[in-house]
Amino acid sequence: AIQYVFLRLSRMLAVWMVTDLRQDLAEHVLRLGMRYHSGRRLGDLLSRMTADTGTSLRILNLIIEEIVQEPIAILAGLAVAWAVSPVATAGILVLVPLLALPVWKIGPKVRRRSQKSLAALGDTTQSLTQMFGGIRVVKAFRMEEREAREFRRANDAFVRSTERMIKAQAASLAITAFVASGGIGLALGAVALANTPVDGRPRLFQDPGDLVTFAMAMMAVVGSVKRLTKALSVVHTSLGATTRVFEIFDLKPDVSDRGDEEPFAGLQREIRFEDVHFRYEGQEESALDGVDFAVRKGERIALVGPSGAGKTTLLDLVARFYDPTSGRVLVDGRPLTSIRLADWLDRLAVVSQTPFLFQTTLAENVRYGRPEASDEEVLEALRSAWLEDLVANLPQGIQTEVGEAGDRLSGGQAQRVTIARALLKDPEVLLLDEATSALDSESERRVQRALETLMEGRTVFVIAHRLSTVRTCDRILVLDRGRIVESGTHDELVAAGGLYARMWRLQIEADAPA
């Protein structure tokens, strides 16, 4: 009964601790900035949060069940042996350093190889994530065999790295077992010989029963040492996983509050970029190179230019997903970094070119930015995004689940749901990154009318490749290679005959009937 209670409580304690570790890790990763998330591999992250934290559970179980209990059993056995014959016990204790040597020498190698094995496991998880996340592309291009080969390659690498770890682990256990069994056996034989009287030398054990007691105590010690060594070997293996988990905990958010931010009552005058430079980590060229401009409250600004010109990067700096490499983003003359991040984001909404929906109901997706919104407010936002027909045709209305990543909706419908989400939040600052890119012509016209209503009286940054959708903006900024090369209204830029005018002519020609 005592053993049952001990095992149940100890193992549940380990489960609770690992569950808390996984929760803390998830919360920490959520707090990390976009610089981390844009560069991380999802498969490796999932492997660390599941397999590696699960491996940490083995350490806790071993610490509680073996590493705590076995040393006590060893000390008890040695105490019995010492009571019978201190001299013989002291002689055998000389072998203890030899028992620790394999674990001490080979243990770090096991830990390093364990980390490599777990990294290879992360590669296999990444391969699976990519394979099934892009299953439509895989099927469309008939690449099942190629993806299967890639997964086999990742699996083979995992097997090779795991085999090297197992070799080191097996060597440690085998050497310890040899020393423990062979060495202790020889030592006990030597003790038995030393117990034979020669030339009047005193016997180590006066009573034959003492010799038996001593031998049994030492064999019990040997058994405990073997179990402890095996547990320590597993701990070294598991420490590789623990190291990978705490590597993430060591990362610090690159965008965070400093703690001395002043209250923010909302945008009053303008948002200004002051000689802003930005460079992504690992890239030589700057995404933004000395950007200077200001946007008045309530003004609608369009950002246009070739792919890679820096348009999305500029929007990310407004949202403070990143901070500038140099220069400043100012809000009413205050550095954006002096405003509490939550206060700023509460007044801002983003609609990106790639719509993302959560695997929950349509209503919960729309109220994601305003969890307290009523069903009627959700329906009004959906009507403004021209989604009445969708709601009417869903089996459970707004309580219908949209599927994983919204796969039960068309691309245009999913995009309009994200627009409804922004409508419901009712932001002061609106960032539209190709918000109509996934829509057909009819849906685009409907959503454009909804966006015109949404943009009224708000400060808006719009990215659009279709220049016809930004003609009504107050001002158009033309970016090229991270710099603002032109600025003005649509008519002014067309008349200027520069980059914008060339882009406009190309789109007119592309849209013209053949």
Side-chain angles (χ1 to χ4, degrees):
I2 294 176
Q3 182 75 356
Y4 166 78
V5 172
F6 173 77
L7 286 176
R8 179 177 174 179
L9 291 178
S10 63
R11 294 193 176 187
M12 281 309 303
L13 176 62
V15 169
W16 293 328
M17 293 175 69
V18 168
T19 301
D20 286 344
L21 175 65
R22 189 174 287 136
Q23 179 68 32
D24 291 344
L25 181 61
E27 292 176 5
H28 180 74
V29 170
L30 284 171
R31 286 192 291 268
L32 293 177
M34 287 302 299
R35 194 180 297 273
Y36 166 77
H37 287 284
S38 62
R40 64 101 175 97
R41 295 189 309 156
L42 179 58
D44 182 67
L45 177 61
L46 292 176
S47 179
R48 294 182 192 229
M49 296 187 69
T50 55
D52 292 0
T53 53
T55 302
S56 300
L57 179 61
R58 297 172 64 192
I59 294 182
L60 292 172
N61 282 329
L62 285 168
I63 289 174
I64 295 170
E65 296 176 20
E66 303 284 354
I67 298 175
V68 171
Q69 293 186 75
E70 296 304 336
I72 296 173
I74 290 170
L75 291 174
L78 290 175
V80 171
W82 186 272
V84 174
S85 177
V87 175
T89 305
I92 288 182
L93 283 177
V94 176
L95 293 172
V96 171
L98 294 178
L99 296 173
L101 187 62
V103 176
W104 179 61
K105 294 292 287 185
I106 303 178
K109 182 183 292 186
V110 172
R111 184 167 64 251
R112 288 192 300 271
R113 293 183 177 180
S114 170
Q115 284 181 258
K116 292 180 179 178
S117 172
L118 291 165
L121 179 60
D123 290 340
T124 65
T125 308
Q126 175 68 18
S127 179
L128 283 174
T129 302
Q130 184 169 274
M131 183 194 315
F132 294 120
I135 191 64
R136 289 179 180 272
V137 177
V138 173
K139 290 289 186 183
F141 287 90
R142 296 189 299 107
M143 285 294 170
E144 293 92 342
E145 291 297 325
R146 178 186 180 277
E147 292 301 322
R149 285 196 303 271
E150 287 296 310
F151 186 58
R152 181 174 293 280
R153 180 192 59 76
N155 267 329
D156 289 344
F158 169 69
V159 170
R160 288 193 298 272
S161 60
T162 303
E163 183 180 17
R164 288 192 288 270
M165 177 195 70
I166 290 173
K167 283 181 180 179
Q169 189 179 36
S172 174
L173 291 173
I175 294 171
T176 302
F178 174 77
V179 173
S181 300
I184 296 294
L186 290 173
L188 287 174
V191 167
L193 289 174
N195 194 51
T196 304
V198 177
D199 298 331
R201 186 182 59 194
R203 295 162 58 94
L204 291 175
F205 303 95
Q206 300 302 318
D207 187 339
D210 290 345
L211 176 59
V212 173
T213 301
F214 179 84
M216 292 179 66
M218 293 310 302
M219 293 309 295
V221 168
V222 169
S224 293
V225 167
K226 285 183 177 180
R227 288 188 292 273
L228 179 60
T229 303
K230 185 176 181 179
L232 290 173
S233 179
V234 174
V235 166
H236 274 296
T237 303
S238 303
L239 281 175
T242 305
T243 301
R244 280 166 47 85
V245 170
F246 281 91
E247 281 176 354
I248 296 181
F249 277 120
D250 289 339
L251 298 174
K252 303 299 180 186
D254 53 286
V255 175
S256 61
D257 293 329
R258 299 173 305 190
D260 58 350
E261 290 79 12
E262 298 177 3
F264 179 64
L267 181 64
Q268 303 298 321
R269 298 189 306 277
E270 66 173 15
I271 299 171
R272 178 178 293 275
F273 276 59
E274 190 177 85
D275 191 27
V276 170
H277 297 253
F278 183 81
R279 178 180 297 171
Y280 288 101
E281 191 171 348
Q283 295 189 2
E284 294 184 2
E285 294 186 2
S286 294
L288 293 177
D289 186 10
V291 171
D292 274 292
F293 71 97
V295 179
R296 297 185 305 277
K297 179 181 178 179
E299 190 176 10
R300 287 183 285 179
I301 295 293
L303 306 173
V304 303
S307 296
K311 305 182 294 295
T312 299
T313 301
L314 193 150
L315 253 61
D316 286 346
L317 293 183
V318 175
R320 212 186 160 204
F321 293 155
Y322 302 94
D323 285 332
T325 305
S326 64
R328 299 189 299 172
V329 179
L330 303 172
V331 178
D332 297 334
R334 293 172 52 185
L336 184 54
T337 54
S338 72
I339 297 172
R340 199 164 72 95
L341 190 56
D343 290 343
W344 178 245
L345 293 178
D346 282 346
R347 291 169 170 80
L348 180 144
V350 179
V351 179
S352 65
Q353 58 185 323
T354 305
F356 180 83
L357 301 181
F358 297 90
Q359 190 173 358
T360 183
T361 64
L362 177 62
E364 290 307 306
N365 270 287
V366 174
R367 61 163 61 100
Y368 191 72
R370 266 188 65 202
E372 74 284 359
S374 67
D375 285 353
E376 183 53 44
E377 289 173 315
V378 169
L379 285 167
E380 179 58 34
L382 289 166
R383 281 192 289 268
S384 298
W386 296 85
L387 284 167
E388 306 101 314
D389 293 345
L390 170 66
V391 175
N393 291 324
L394 290 175
Q396 296 171 299
I398 62 173
Q399 301 306 324
T400 304
E401 292 217 0
V402 299
E404 186 174 1
D407 60 6
R408 293 182 182 174
L409 307 180
S410 70
Q413 289 171 335
Q415 185 68 295
R416 280 181 281 167
V417 172
T418 65
I419 292 171
R421 182 189 294 163
L423 282 160
L424 184 63
K425 189 176 182 182
D426 192 20
E428 294 179 15
V429 180
L430 183 64
L431 308 182
L432 304 176
D433 186 355
E434 288 294 329
T436 60
S437 63
L439 306 179
D440 55 50
S441 297
E442 178 60 27
S443 296
E444 182 180 346
R445 283 193 292 272
R446 292 181 176 184
V447 173
Q448 197 62 42
R449 289 198 296 268
L451 288 175
E452 288 294 332
T453 303
L454 172 64
M455 290 188 289
E456 190 66 34
R458 293 179 173 82
T459 307
V460 184
F461 294 78
V462 184
I463 295 176
H465 287 301
R466 290 189 59 79
L467 302 183
S468 59
T469 63
V470 298
R471 293 181 64 177
T472 59
C473 286
D474 298 314
R475 191 154 38 107
I476 299 171
L477 304 181
V478 185
L479 280 82
D480 189 23
R481 297 183 179 180
R483 290 178 171 273
I484 297 176
V485 295
E486 294 180 287
S487 175
T489 64
H490 170 80
D491 292 337
E492 289 170 348
L493 293 175
V494 170
L499 176 58
Y500 183 86
R502 292 196 297 275
M503 294 170 62
W504 176 248
R505 284 197 300 272
L506 287 172
Q507 286 200 7
I508 291 177
E509 292 171 2
D511 293 340

